[in-house]
Amino acid sequence: MSIQFIDLKAQYQHLKADIDARIHAVLDHGQYIMGPEVKEVEQQLAAYAGVKHAIGVCDGTKALLIALMALGVGRGDEVITTPFTFIATGEMIALLGATPVFVDIDPISYNLDPALLEAAITPRTKAIMPVSLYGQCADFTAINAIADKHGIAVIEDGAQSFGASQHGKKSGSLSTIGCTSFFPSKPLGCYGDGGACFTNDDELAKKMREIRIHGQDRRYHHPVIGLNGRLDTIQAAVLLAKLPSFADEVAARERIGARYSALLQDVARVPVIGAGNTHVYAQYTIEVDNREAVQKALQELGVPTAVHYPIPLHLQPAFAHLGLGEGSFPLAEAAGKRVMSLPMHPFLDEATQDAIVAAVKKALG
């Protein structure tokens, strides 16, 4: 059996007619930059997330950058975030000359621990940027309460959680600005790079729309410094073809994730869903002892795995200047040594899932 870690081909075959028609419509009208599909997908994304504004951008990393720029983050500022994430989260803070201030994780959800948040706030704190890791939202009820008390904006890095919700509100609508990625392997993915920013704040939406097109409010008039952060029209077209079936795919992810957990809970630490949360399982991630040996055994059994993320940000060479050595964030460091992600996508059938589970049990035996 050939097992795919993420089966994008199966999804394409399922949606082929719609995807092809949407792409060919762009090829026919030829508006490859900021074509009509961009505005159309923005309207649909805003409606799905339950916010006033969705701003399509070129990728999830730039979504974070544009959000930070819209809030005026710059040199001398601090932005609080988690060390247990992909480097883009901390990278965009540093790129603006600000300092990432890390807060350790809650070891159950792997997300930033709100109990540790207030102690990290200083007069220089300009924003808080929690990550909704693996497909489950961070505790925004607690985080927003602390942020509101101190008058600090919150940016959700929802690159992995689009489609998830918290107390009935969708990822992207839970903070001052929500950001997501449409990288092909994400719960809602395009066929290249893509992303979006979400907000209910009219002024921030206006700023983000200007920033993504070189700080321009009208042709050749630039009130602010911006960048080239536009969402490609063809990628918008792919998203438009995928959005009608996205709710069904989210439901399939939830079902498959729950089934994995039921089958594996006796042999590994499986995901725990927080009260009021749903989970879209951008990654289905377990914890195991002797991870390298387990991964090798699974590879030999034909089961691909991945690790998200083995080295926390404070231990990355790019952040060595912060002087945060081993032991600075012990829970993030411990998770980085133990987490392992299994094949996960909405077209994973039960027979294949059973084969994966059997291989995991054998590898752990």
Side-chain angles (χ1 to χ4, degrees):
M1 183 181 292
S2 175
I3 296 173
Q4 302 293 314
F5 189 72
I6 296 169
D7 195 344
L8 295 177
K9 289 182 183 177
Q11 185 193 48
Y12 173 61
Q13 290 305 318
H14 183 67
L15 299 172
K16 187 178 189 304
D18 293 336
I19 291 170
D20 289 358
R22 279 287 189 175
I23 291 173
H24 278 281
V26 178
L27 297 176
D28 287 339
H29 68 55
Q31 297 175 57
Y32 300 114
I33 302 297
M34 298 302 287
E37 286 80 3
V38 175
K39 187 172 183 181
E40 185 181 354
V41 82
E42 288 175 339
Q43 291 169 340
Q44 291 192 23
L45 289 168
Y48 179 85
V51 295
K52 287 171 70 176
H53 305 283
I55 298 95
V57 299
C58 57
D59 55 67
T61 303
K62 300 306 186 313
L64 298 176
L65 181 63
I66 289 167
L68 290 163
M69 290 171 72
L71 291 169
V73 172
R75 197 162 301 280
D77 293 330
E78 293 175 352
V79 178
I80 297 171
T81 191
T82 168
F84 193 55
T85 181
F86 183 58
I87 195 164
T89 313
E91 184 181 41
M92 293 302 97
I93 297 165
L95 193 68
L96 289 172
T99 301
V101 173
F102 299 120
V103 167
D104 212 348
I105 61 169
D106 160 28
I108 304 301
S109 69
Y110 304 109
N111 289 325
L112 184 150
D113 187 346
L116 305 175
L117 177 57
E118 199 152 21
I121 294 173
T122 77
R124 293 186 298 280
T125 305
K126 189 84 171 186
I128 302 165
M129 194 152 73
V131 177
S132 295
L133 200 69
Y134 298 148
Q136 178 172 208
C137 297
D139 185 352
F140 283 93
T141 303
I143 292 165
N144 287 338
I146 295 165
D148 289 346
K149 177 180 167 185
H150 292 271
I152 299 168
V154 178
I155 300 169
E156 180 189 14
D157 181 343
Q160 298 176 13
S161 59
F162 193 68
S165 63
Q166 185 166 91
H167 302 299
K169 293 181 68 178
K170 289 282 201 306
S171 176
S173 72
L174 298 166
S175 59
T176 316
I177 301 172
C179 298
T180 199
S181 167
F182 302 127
F183 187 79
S185 62
K186 302 299 185 188
L188 179 64
C190 55
Y191 286 170
D193 279 312
C197 300
F198 302 88
T199 190
N200 284 312
D201 186 304
D202 296 343
E203 186 58 32
L204 286 175
K206 180 176 181 290
K207 284 182 182 176
M208 289 190 286
R209 286 196 178 98
E210 290 172 0
I211 290 166
R212 71 156 172 197
I213 190 159
H214 300 285
Q216 180 173 279
D217 64 350
R218 59 187 185 272
R219 193 164 174 81
Y220 298 130
H221 187 262
H222 307 266
V224 296
I225 295 296
L227 47 83
N228 181 358
R230 301 169 301 214
L231 176 65
D232 181 279
T233 307
I234 286 180
Q235 302 308 333
V238 172
L239 293 171
L240 284 166
K242 288 188 173 191
L243 267 168
S245 60
F246 183 54
D248 291 339
E249 292 194 10
V250 168
R253 286 178 172 277
E254 291 179 309
R255 183 184 71 250
I256 293 162
R259 190 169 188 269
Y260 257 142
S261 293
L263 295 170
L264 289 170
Q265 61 186 349
D266 293 335
V267 296
R269 157 75 200 284
V270 299
V272 177
I273 302 176
N277 280 358
T278 66
H279 203 313
V280 290
Y281 300 102
Q283 289 86 24
Y284 184 85
T285 303
I286 60 175
E287 278 190 40
V288 296
D289 298 321
N290 305 314
R291 183 178 64 203
E292 284 189 20
V294 173
Q295 284 190 283
K296 187 179 180 201
L298 285 169
Q299 186 178 14
E300 290 169 357
L301 292 167
V303 176
T305 60
V307 176
H308 310 88
Y309 297 93
I311 304 173
L313 298 194
H314 65 288
L315 299 180
Q316 294 288 350
F319 290 118
H321 64 281
L322 297 176
L324 300 165
E326 193 93 33
S328 297
F329 304 100
L331 297 173
E333 292 166 26
K337 292 180 172 72
R338 293 178 49 82
V339 294
M340 181 183 76
S341 299
L342 300 176
M344 181 69 197
H345 55 85
F347 298 90
L348 186 64
D349 60 71
E350 290 192 358
T352 305
Q353 191 176 24
D354 287 341
I356 294 164
V357 168
V360 171
K361 289 181 174 178
K362 185 174 181 182
L364 291 171

